C-alpha cells in the first residue's frame, strides 16, 4: 500500500551532510518527497510503498548515517498522499519557526581531504583550507542559524564553477559543505613580520618561509580554526623560554602538536585509547605520560609528569609539518589569561611584541574556540577543558526544561549554559572572569549564543557567592527569576545531568573554594544530593584561612592555618622556623599572618581541600606560590611514589546533628615527623594522597550506612588529580559502590554551569 509520512529528526543533523544522505537513501529505496533543514533539525516527507519507508528509517538510523551526524529523535506521522509526486528533492532551508536547531562543532580534517591535498592532480593540491561535509570549521564560522553559507563568514567568498558544481551535486562529498573553497575562489594565507608588513603571499612560499622561521627558533603566530596559536619549535629550549617571557606565562605547561602518532610516541606513552582520542574528529589536546630522556625542551612542561599533545587538525597544520618540522609548541594566542585572539588586526596589536611573524588568513573566525583538553580517569577519556570539537554539542536531558534557562557558571574557568527543551547547551571554555577582557567576552558570548540557539530565558541560575561576577550578572538581568545554587551541589548536579539521573546520590565534591550556606568557604564536601535538594552529610573539619584572594596563591597562609588547627594553643611560630623559613623568608610576614589568624582578622573558616594540597606541597619543598591555578597540587601529584600503599591517619568525627567531620590533624603531625626524619617527598606525597582516599572512602561508607545509598558521584577540581581519583574510584568500586564522575564536562569549575542548569530545570 502506498502511503506518505512526515518525519522530524533532531540532533546533530545540520552541517553534517545529513540532507544528501537522506536524498541518496530515498533514491536508493525508490521513495518520493523532500527534505529540508528547519529550526528544529531536519524535516523529511516520504511517499511510497509502506515497507520501503520502514526500510529507509532503519537505514537512516543505522550505519548509513553521515559520519558526524547524531540522531536524538526521529518521529514519523502519517500524512495525505500527494498524487503525481514521483521525485525526491532537497528543499531550501526554512528560516522561520521558533524552536531549536543545532550548529555542530569544528572537526579535524578528514582522510579523504588529506589525500586530495597531497594529490598533484587534484585542483585543491596543497590548498590550506580544503574541507568537506565530514570535516572542517562549523561553530567557529557561524554567525546565525540556520547553518547555511550566507550565515557564515564564508559568505564573502563567491564559489568558483568547480566548487559550485561539487556544492550542488548531491552525490558529491562536498554537497552543501558550507565552507567549500579552493585556491581560486576561497580564503588565502600570507605571512607578515611582527609589524604586519607582508613578507610572502604565495602559498608554497608562505609555508616554506614559516617553517624556516620556526626551525630557526622564531615565534610565529599562526591563525588556525578557532583562533591564533603561538608556535615555536618544541625541541629548542631557548626559543620556548623566550615565548614564556614574552607571553608572560612563567610556569603553566604548553601544549604541543605533531603530525603523526608515531612521532608523539617518541616523547610520550600513548595507550590504545589515547590514540583513538588523538585521532578522533574532535582532535583535542591529550595529556600523556612523559617518556624519560626525551628531546622535548625542559621548559615546555616543568613540574608535571605529562605532556599535552594534539595531532594536526587543520590542512594548514599538515602543510607546515610537511616541511621537516618535528614537534611544535602550539599554545593559545593570547597574553597571560586574556581571551584567545582570533582577529588579524587584534593579533598584530596584542601579539606584535610576542611573535616574530604572523601566518595570517582571511577566513574570518566569528567565535574564538580554544583547543579542548582530555585526560583519562579509570581508563575513560574525560574532558578537562571543553571547547573546539565538543562545543556546542548539547547534553540531552531526560525531562524537557519547562522554560528556557540561563546558567551563569562560576567565576574561574567559566562556562555558561542554556537549557532549552531537552538540551543543556554549554558554552566553550570562557576563562577567569576577573580579567576585564574575559568578562566582556563572557557578556558578548552569552548574547551571541542566546541568538544562535534562540533561547529566551525565564529562569537564571547562578552561584551562591555574592561576590562572583557571574552571580552579579545573573542578578542584574531583568524580568527573570534568579535561583542561587550552592557551588558543590552544582558540581554533583553536573555529574547527575551527564548520567541522566535525578539522584539522590552520595556526592563527594572536592575543590579549592566555594561559598557555603553557612557563610564559610567550603571545599571538601560529602553531600546527599539530588537535582532538587541536598543535605550536607560531611566535610573536612574547618581550619582558619587568612588573607582573602592571596590565600589561594601563597601556600604559607593555609599552612599556618592548618598548623594552628593541629596544635591549637600550643602552636608556637618559632618552633616551626625550620619548616617555614623556606616557604616564607620574611619572618615578619609569618608573624602578621599568624596574628591575623589568632585575632580572626580577614580570616575565614574553610574546608578547602585545594589549600591543603598547597600547604603539603610547600612543606615538602615544591614551591610556595601558585603561579597558575593548582600549580602546587599538580606538582605534588606528579611526585607521588606510585608503589607506596601506606597512608597517614585521619579521624571521622560525628557529633549529634552536625555533619560528619574529616579531621586531618593526625596526618599533619605525621607529615611533620616524616619531614624531620628525611622521608622522601615522593613517599610523603603518596601517603598524603592515600590518606585522602581512605578518608573519603570512610565518609562515603558512613553515608551509605546512614542513608542507604550506594551510588557515589565525584566532582570538583581536586578530581582533576589522576592519582587521587583513579585510586579513589578503585577503592570505592572494591567496596561495592557504584561510582560516577564527569566525562564530557570538566570536573573543575568549567562544569558548574551544567549543574546549575540541571538544578534549575528541576525547579520549573
Ligand atoms: Zn574532509
Ligand atoms: Zn573554488
Amino acid at each position: 500500500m502506498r502511503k506518505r509520512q512526515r518525519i522530524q529528526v533532531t540532533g546533530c543533523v545540520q552541517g553534517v551532510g545529513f540532507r544528501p544522505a537522506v536524498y541518496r537513501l530515498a533514491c536508493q529505496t525508490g521513495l518520493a518527497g523532500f527534505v529540508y533543514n528547519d529550526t528544529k533539525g531536519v524535516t523529511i516527507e516520504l511517499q511510497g510503498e509502506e515497507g520501503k519507508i520502514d526500510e529507509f528509517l532503519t537505514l537512516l538510523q543505522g550505519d548509513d548515517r553521515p559520519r558526524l551526524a547524531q540522531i536524538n529523535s526521529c518521529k514519523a506521522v502519517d500524512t495525505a498522499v500527494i498524487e503525481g509526486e514521483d521525485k525526491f528533492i532537497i528543499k531550501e532551508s526554512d528560516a522561520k519557526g521558533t524552536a531549536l536547531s543545532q550548529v555542530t562543532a569544528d572537526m579535524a580534517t578528514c582522510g579523504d581531504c588529506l589525500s586530495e591535498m597531497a594529490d598533484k592532480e587534484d585542483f585543491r593540491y596543497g590548498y590550506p583550507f580544503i574541507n568537506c561535509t565530514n570535516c572542517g570549521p562549523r561553530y567557529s564560522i557561524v554567525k546565525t542559524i540556520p547553518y547555511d553559507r550566507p550565515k557564515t563568514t564564508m559568505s564573502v567568498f563567491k564559489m568558483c564553477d568547480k566548487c559550485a558544481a561539487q556544492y550542488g551535486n548531491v552525490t558529491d562529498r562536498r554537497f552543501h559543505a558550507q565552507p567549500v573553497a579552493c585556491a581560486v575562489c576561497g580564503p588565502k594565507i600570507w605571512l607578515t613580520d611582527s609589524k604586519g608588513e607582508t613578507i610572502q603571499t604565495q602559498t608554497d612560499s608562505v609555508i616554506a618561509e614559516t617553517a624556516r622561521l620556526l626551525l630557526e627558533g622564531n615565534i610565529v603566530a599562526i591563525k588556525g580554526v578557532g583562533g591564533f596559536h603561538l608556535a615555536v619549535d618544541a625541541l629548542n629550549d631557548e626559543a620556548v623560554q623566550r615565548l614564556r617571557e614574552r607571553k608572560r606565562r612563567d610556569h603553566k605547561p604548553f601544549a604541543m602538536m605533531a603530525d603523526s602518532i608515531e612521532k608523539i610516541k617518541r616523547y610520550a606513552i600513548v595507550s590504545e585509547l589515547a590514540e583513538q582520542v588523538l585521532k578522533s574528529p574532535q582532535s583535542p589536546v591529550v595529556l600523556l605520560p612523559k617518556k624519560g630522556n626525551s628531546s622535548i625542551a625542559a621548559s615546555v612542561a616543568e613540574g608535571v609528569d605529562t605532556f599535552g599533545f594534539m595531532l594536526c587538525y587543520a590542512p594548514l597544520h599538515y602543510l607546515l609539518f610537511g616541511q621537516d618540522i618535528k614537534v611544535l609548541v602550539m599554545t593559545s594566542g593570547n597574553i597571560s589569561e586574556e581571551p584567545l585572539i582570533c582577529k588579524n588586526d587584534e593579533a598584530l596589536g596584542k601579539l606584535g611584541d610576542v611573535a616574530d611573524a604572523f601566518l595570517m588568513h582571511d577566513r574570518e573566525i566569528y567565535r574564538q574556540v580554544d583547543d579542548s583538553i582530555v585526560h583519562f580517569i579509570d581508563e575513560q577519556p574525560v574532558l578537562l577543558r571543553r571547547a573546539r570539537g565538543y562545543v556546542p554539542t548539547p547534553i540531552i536531558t531526560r525531562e524537557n526544561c519547562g522554560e528556557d534557562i540561563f546558567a551563569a557558571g562560576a567565576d574561574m574557568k567559566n562556562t555558561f549554559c542554556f537549557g532549552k527543551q531537552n538540551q543543556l547547551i554549554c558554552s566553550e571554555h570562557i576563562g577567569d572572569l576577573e580579567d576585564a577582557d574575559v568578562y566582556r567576552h563572557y557578556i558578548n558570548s552569552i548574547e551571541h549564543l542566546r541568538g544562535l540557539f534562540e533561547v529566551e530565558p525565564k529562569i537564571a541560575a547562578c552561584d551562591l557567592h555574592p561576590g562572583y561576577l557571574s552571580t552579579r550578572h545573573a542578578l542584574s538581568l531583568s524580568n527573570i527569576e534568579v535561583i542561587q545554587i550552592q557551588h558543590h551541589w552544582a558540581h554533583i548536579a553536573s555529574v547527575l545531568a551527564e548520567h541522566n539521573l535525578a539522584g539522590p546520590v552520595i556526592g563527594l565534591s572536592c575543590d579549592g573554594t566555594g561559598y557555603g550556606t553557612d557563610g564559610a568557604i567550603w571545599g571538601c564536601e560529602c553531600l546527599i544530593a539530588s537535582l532538587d535538594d541536598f543535605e550536607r552529610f560531611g566535610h573536612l573539619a574547618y581550619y582558619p584561612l587568612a588573607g582573602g584572594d592571596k590565600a589561594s596563591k601563597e601556600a604559607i597562609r593555609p599552612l599556618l592555618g592548618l598548623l594552628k588547627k593541629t596544635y591549637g594553643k600550643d602552636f608556637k611560630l618559632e618552633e616551626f622556623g625550620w619548616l617555614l623559613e623556606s616557604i616564607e623568608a620574611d619572618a615578619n610576614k609569618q608573624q602578621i599572618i599568624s596574628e591575623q589568624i589568632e585575632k580572626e582578622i580577614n580570616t575565614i573558616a574553610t574546608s578547602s581541600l585545594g589549600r591543603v594540597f598547597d600547604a603539603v606541597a610547600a612543606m615538602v619543598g615544591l614551591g610556595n606560590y601558585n603561579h597558575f591555578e593548582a600549580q602546587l597540587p599538580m606538582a605534588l601529584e606528579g611526585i607521588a611514589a606510585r608503589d607506596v600503599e601506606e597512608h597517614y591517619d585521619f579521624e571521622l568525627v560525628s557529633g549529634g546533628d552536625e555533619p560528619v567531620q574529616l579531621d586531618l590533624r593526625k596526618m599533619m603531625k605525621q607529615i611533620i615527623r616524616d619531614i624531620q626524619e628525611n622521608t622522601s617527598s615522593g613517599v610523603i606525597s603518596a601517603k598524603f594522597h592515600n590518606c585522602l582516599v581512605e578518608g573519603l572512602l570512610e565518609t562515603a561508607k558512613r553515608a551509605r550506612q546512614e542513608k542507604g545509598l550506594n551510588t557515589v558521584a565525584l566532582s570538583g577540581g581536586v578530581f582533576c588529580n589522576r592519582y587521587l581519583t583513579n585510586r579513589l574510584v578503585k577503592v570505592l568500586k572494591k567496596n561495592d559502590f557504584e561510582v560516577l564522575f564527569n566525562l564530557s564536562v570538566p570536573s573543575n569549575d568549567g562544569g558548574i554551569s551544567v549543574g546549575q542548569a540541571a538544578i534549575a530545570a528541576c525547579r520549573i
Side-chain angles (χ1 to χ4, degrees), residues 363-588:
R363 187 176 71 197
E364 190 198 335
I365 298 168
Y366 194 76
R367 273 208 75 67
Q368 59 254 65
V369 202
D370 270 293
D371 296 318
S372 297
I373 305 175
V374 167
H375 72 159
F376 300 94
I377 297 290
D378 195 31
E379 289 172 23
Q380 293 189 71
V382 169
L383 278 157
L384 276 173
R385 182 164 76 191
R386 189 174 185 273
R388 179 184 48 76
Y390 298 90
V391 174
T393 308
I395 292 162
I396 305 300
T397 59
R398 203 170 34 176
E399 306 278 335
N400 261 7
C401 301
E403 302 275 6
D404 289 2
I405 294 163
F406 163 67
D411 272 19
M412 299 282 281
K413 295 185 160 53
N414 175 274
T415 63
F416 58 88
C417 180
F418 287 116
K420 188 180 172 80
Q421 296 182 2
N422 66 337
Q423 308 198 356
L424 300 181
I425 306 159
C426 184
S427 76
E428 66 275 24
H429 168 84
I430 299 289
D432 297 346
L433 300 185
E434 64 177 21
D435 181 281
D437 286 334
V438 173
Y439 185 73
R440 251 193 305 279
H441 176 54
Y442 170 68
I443 299 296
N444 293 338
S445 300
I446 293 168
E447 266 318 291
H448 173 60
L449 292 201
R450 205 178 60 75
L452 202 55
F453 299 109
E454 298 183 298
V455 193
E456 288 299 335
K458 296 281 185 296
I459 312 264
C462 64
D463 200 270
L464 201 57
H465 199 308
Y468 267 11
L469 294 167
S470 52
T471 302
R472 288 190 203 163
H473 171 69
L475 291 171
S476 75
L477 299 170
S478 46
N479 301 323
I480 202 163
E481 184 195 337
V482 182
I483 305 170
Q484 289 190 260
I485 294 165
Q486 202 282 324
H487 191 90
H488 300 92
W489 182 26
H491 269 310
I492 299 304
S494 74
V495 181
L496 292 175
E498 273 202 69
H499 294 270
N500 219 338
L501 296 171
V505 292
I506 301 166
L508 295 176
S509 189
C510 300
D511 65 1
T513 50
Y515 196 80
T517 53
D518 58 355
I521 296 299
W522 294 8
C524 178
E525 308 301 317
C526 177
L527 308 177
I528 305 303
S530 59
L531 289 181
D532 55 13
D533 204 4
F534 82 96
E535 173 200 339
R536 194 183 197 196
F537 178 81
H539 61 87
L540 185 70
Y542 285 150
Y543 58 94
L545 186 59
D549 286 351
K550 287 180 190 157
S552 63
K553 299 265 188 335
E554 299 175 1
I556 187 72
R557 293 172 185 274
L559 177 54
L560 282 173
L562 285 162
L563 290 174
K564 287 255 184 194
K565 167 86 181 175
T566 304
Y567 296 95
K569 296 223 177 317
D570 297 336
F571 176 73
K572 292 196 181 57
L573 199 54
E574 53 278 13
E575 284 177 16
F576 289 91
W578 60 274
L579 177 67
L580 299 176
E581 65 182 2
S582 64
I583 298 167
E584 176 52 65
D586 183 349
N588 199 29

Side-chain angles (χ1 to χ4, degrees), residues 9 11-25 35 37 42 44 56 58-71 104 107 132-135 138 170 172-173 175 281:
V9 190
C12 281
V13 289
Q14 292 190 9
V16 291
F18 199 78
R19 288 172 300 171
V22 166
Y23 175 89
R24 285 190 289 268
L25 276 180
V35 59
N37 277 349
V42 164
I44 310 166
F56 171 96
T58 308
L59 288 170
L60 184 69
Q61 292 172 87
D63 291 343
D64 281 21
R65 71 173 191 280
R67 170 174 169 253
L68 301 177
Q70 187 200 323
I71 297 173
T104 53
M107 293 298 178
C132 72
T133 311
N134 297 325
C135 71
R138 300 275 188 282
V170 72
D172 195 279
R173 201 172 87 248
F175 178 71

